[in-house]
């Protein structure tokens, strides 16, 4: 049984930093993508960053490029999202997703999801 548990969210002021973690169990990394998505109140869940199945290639949405970094530590079975220079518009529930196949770009390509961790950025 695959389980993803996010942590590290919280409230910060604009310009601050947070590091989100996603602890993964019951999952095999080989051949699959992992990603971070976020959903603000009243908005669709949107992709933030992808770690492709080669464990090296990444893709970021333009709104977070050069501020956020996705990484993983397979020894610790953990996916990370380092978020710097946070802005109020980054406020959202952040979700870890795993098991991505095909293009790894769409939500429906990920069968496994965590419960989310809230990030709130004040101005």
């Amino acid at each position: 049984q695959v389980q993803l548990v996010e942590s590290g969210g919280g409230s910060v002021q604009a310009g601050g930093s947070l590091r989100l973690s996603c602890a993964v169990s019951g999952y095999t990394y080989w051949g699959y993508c992992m990603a971070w998505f976020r959903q603000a109140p009243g908005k669709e869940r949107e992709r933030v960053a992808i770690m492709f199945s080669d464990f090296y290639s990444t893709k970021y949405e333009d709104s977070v490029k050069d501020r956020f970094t996705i990484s993983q530590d397979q020894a610790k079975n953990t996916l990370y999202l380092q978020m710097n220079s946070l802005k109020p518009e980054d406020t959202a529930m952040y979700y870890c997703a795993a098991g991505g196949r095909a293009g790894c770009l769409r939500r429906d390509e990920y069968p496994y999801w965590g419960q989310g961790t809230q990030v709130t950025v004040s101005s």
Side-chain angles (χ1 to χ4, degrees), residues 19 22-24 29 34 51 55 70-80:
R19 187 176 80 156
C22 174
V24 183
Y29 288 85
M34 297 188 73
M51 173 71 75
F55 311 129
I70 187 172
S71 62
Q72 63 180 0
D73 186 334
Q74 291 186 41
K76 295 183 178 180
N77 291 331
T78 302
L79 182 74
Y80 300 101

Side-chain angles (χ1 to χ4, degrees), residues 4-27:
L4 287 71
V5 180
E6 300 97 333
S7 62
S11 297
V12 297
Q13 291 192 323
S17 297
L18 285 172
R19 187 176 80 156
L20 305 184
S21 299
C22 174
V24 183
S25 60
Y27 178 73

Side-chain angles (χ1 to χ4, degrees), residues 77-102:
N77 291 331
T78 302
L79 182 74
Y80 300 101
L81 185 68
Q82 178 66 44
M83 306 187 296
N84 299 328
S85 302
L86 282 161
K87 304 176 181 180
E89 51 264 44
D90 294 319
T91 295
M93 185 71 79
Y94 283 72
Y95 297 90
C96 170
R101 298 297 298 271

Side-chain angles (χ1 to χ4, degrees), residues 6 20 33-40 44-50 61 68 70 79 81 83 90 92-98 100 104-110 112-113 116-117 119:
E6 300 97 333
L20 305 184
C33 304
M34 297 188 73
W36 288 95
F37 287 74
R38 67 185 180 187
Q39 188 168 17
E44 294 285 323
R45 190 171 299 189
E46 64 174 0
R47 186 182 64 238
V48 175
I50 304 170
E61 292 311 292
F68 290 12
I70 187 172
L79 182 74
L81 185 68
M83 306 187 296
D90 294 319
M93 185 71 79
Y94 283 72
Y95 297 90
C96 170
C104 296
L105 299 180
R106 303 195 316 267
R107 285 181 297 167
D108 61 3
E109 292 175 322
Y110 293 86
Y112 307 115
W113 292 83
T117 186
V119 171

